[in-house]
Amino acid sequence: MSLAERVLDGEIRAAARLMRDIDDRFKSAVDELKILYPHTGKAYIIGITGPPGAGKSTLVDQVVAAYRKKDLLVGVVAIDPTSPFSGGAILGDRIRMNRHADDPGVFIRSLATRGALGGLSRSTMDVLNVMDAMGLDVIVVETVGVGQDEVDIVSTAHTTVVVMVPGLGDDIQAIKAGILEIGDVFVVNKADRDGADRTARELTAMLEMKHPEAGDWMPHVIKTEAAKGLGIDELVDEFEAHHSYLKESGALQRLIQERNAKIFADTLREELFESVFSGIKESGKYQQILDGMRDRSTDPYSAVEEVMAARSFS
Amino acid sequence: MAERRIRVLVGKPGLDGHDRGAKIIARALRDAGFEVIYTGLHQTPEQIVSAAIQEDVDCVALSILSGAHNTLLPAVREIMKEKGASDIVLMAGGVIPEDDIPGLKAAGIAEVFTPGTSTETIVAWMRDNVTPHA
């Protein structure tokens, strides 16, 4: 039986192995994903992002517990950085989620960024598809701790949650571009700390500058103390409100459309590059181009034009 | 064909709260290019095995300083067997008397490192003895 069939049969080890094959970019994983694809599209995906140390993992742990109380099956994809020097990684998000380790209704997978820069790993979307096909109802994606511009989560999750903590900067930080534009829900965690109210107020003020059209979603700021479980019920209610909004307003269809377009474009870009690049490497053309660039007899722009002209796409 | 990256779970079963050693090992394995899933303190054998399966690790490395190694380590191995995961290499380190090591090895613990072992020795052992799942 193929891995994909075993995944559909509910076999945990098969799912875990397939995720590994995806992460390690095994060609065979693509065939398995083809089998799973028709079984995906059912899970509700929540993305949680924010700076390192904001309490994302602890928040994820609480959100998992809240959804388990509703008797839903929950998946977690937690991403931590790969060392640019050794290629190794310490994936430590599970530390905060250990109480769910032996709950058969929860599947947690840690992924390393492996050089990807957008806050996720290249494999994230495909790993989500495996969890989706496993029949998990809610999947929480925790991004690597991000700064300002790592916004890949938006095109991956249905509901994007930006977690902030008091004391990270003044309100000018809040009106810059980047992660503060992407939230459907904002959280001020560690709300017992000094300055929490001020941070919440500044975020709210920033959000109110947006002037949403009638019927648009208006993000709210929720204060939590994840370590004590405070504010979690309100937070999960807000997720549910956003999920209902997506379904009822038609925004969900648009989101799915955009995401499908992105997945297709990403896959095409990768495959095209792989095929063209390995082609010119094998033919020796690649070396010729590099030699030409070295003595300035060719330039990268003409070289690419020439390579492209030699291929036909329909 | 793409290449496997070795994944190792580092954790501490049982009740002792000293994780300095486990963190040093985690860091050394990271620097050796492995992906380390660090699960932290106070793990039950069941939690460790579930996490190892979900993370599809090749090796579980446990640190024990509590003296409960003769109970906890064989328990982890038993649960691995029950769950069809005995292909995962189980090794341990910590304050473990030499006299206990043969018994642990007979129970399926692949290797036991005692205080004073260098991180290089442990990394080298892993490279030689842990083959990533095909």
Side-chain angles (χ1 to χ4, degrees), chain A residues 58-185:
Chain A
T58 310
L59 208 62
V60 171
D61 169 71
Q62 296 284 2
V63 168
V64 171
Y67 276 111
R68 287 299 290 145
K69 260 192 242 154
K70 296 176 192 269
D71 251 337
L72 295 171
L73 301 176
V74 187
V76 175
V77 178
I79 299 146
D80 265 332
T82 293
S83 159
F85 304 106
S86 71
I90 294 186
L91 312 175
D93 292 319
R94 286 190 86 102
I95 299 173
R96 313 271 176 237
M97 309 174 195
N98 273 324
R99 61 173 160 152
H100 305 296
D102 42 11
D103 176 352
V106 179
F107 187 106
I108 303 172
R109 180 60 168 230
S110 315
L111 297 175
T113 52
R114 299 196 180 180
L117 296 175
L120 303 176
S121 69
R122 277 166 92 172
S123 57
T124 302
M125 188 64 90
D126 290 335
V127 167
L128 285 171
N129 276 338
V130 178
M131 287 194 178
D132 196 340
M134 285 166 79
L136 300 178
D137 302 302
V138 179
I139 308 173
V140 187
V141 184
E142 179 187 339
T143 72
V144 72
V146 301
Q148 296 180 307
D149 202 21
E150 298 90 338
V151 296
D152 279 359
I153 190 66
V154 195
S155 52
T156 307
H158 297 119
T159 300
T160 299
V161 187
V162 175
V163 185
M164 302 298 285
V165 282
L168 285 179
D170 59 14
D171 51 356
I172 272 297
Q173 296 302 336
I175 58 172
K176 287 185 186 170
I179 63 165
L180 290 178
E181 290 176 289
I182 65 172
D184 301 306
V185 179

Side-chain angles (χ1 to χ4, degrees), chain B:
Chain B
M1 191 62 157
E3 224 177 281
R4 280 283 190 230
R5 188 139 340 164
I6 292 183
R7 283 167 71 90
V8 182
L9 183 150
V10 173
K12 285 191 60 77
L15 294 176
D16 82 271
H18 304 279
D19 58 356
R20 184 74 181 261
K23 283 177 177 158
I24 287 171
I25 298 302
R27 169 78 195 268
L29 295 176
R30 181 202 80 181
D31 290 343
F34 300 161
E35 281 182 2
V36 180
I37 292 88
Y38 186 70
T39 61
L41 298 167
H42 308 315
Q43 302 288 290
T44 66
E46 288 81 4
Q47 287 174 325
I48 288 168
V49 177
S50 302
I53 289 173
Q54 291 180 4
E55 298 287 355
D56 196 44
V57 297
D58 307 300
C59 176
V60 169
L62 300 178
S63 157
I64 304 193
L65 306 172
S66 65
H69 47 268
N70 285 334
T71 315
L72 290 170
L73 293 174
V76 171
R77 196 67 199 152
E78 269 317 299
I79 298 168
M80 279 180 172
K81 278 185 205 151
E82 275 166 32
K83 298 206 172 174
S86 40
D87 54 321
I88 300 174
V89 175
L90 174 62
M91 55 89 83
V95 185
I96 295 170
E98 291 290 341
D99 290 352
D100 290 349
I101 293 176
L104 291 171
K105 286 196 172 168
I109 317 314
E111 189 54 276
V112 177
F113 292 105
T114 52
T117 311
S118 72
T119 53
E120 288 84 359
T121 309
I122 294 169
V123 167
W125 183 87
M126 283 211 181
R127 288 200 197 283
D128 290 344
N129 292 278
V130 178
T131 7
H133 301 306

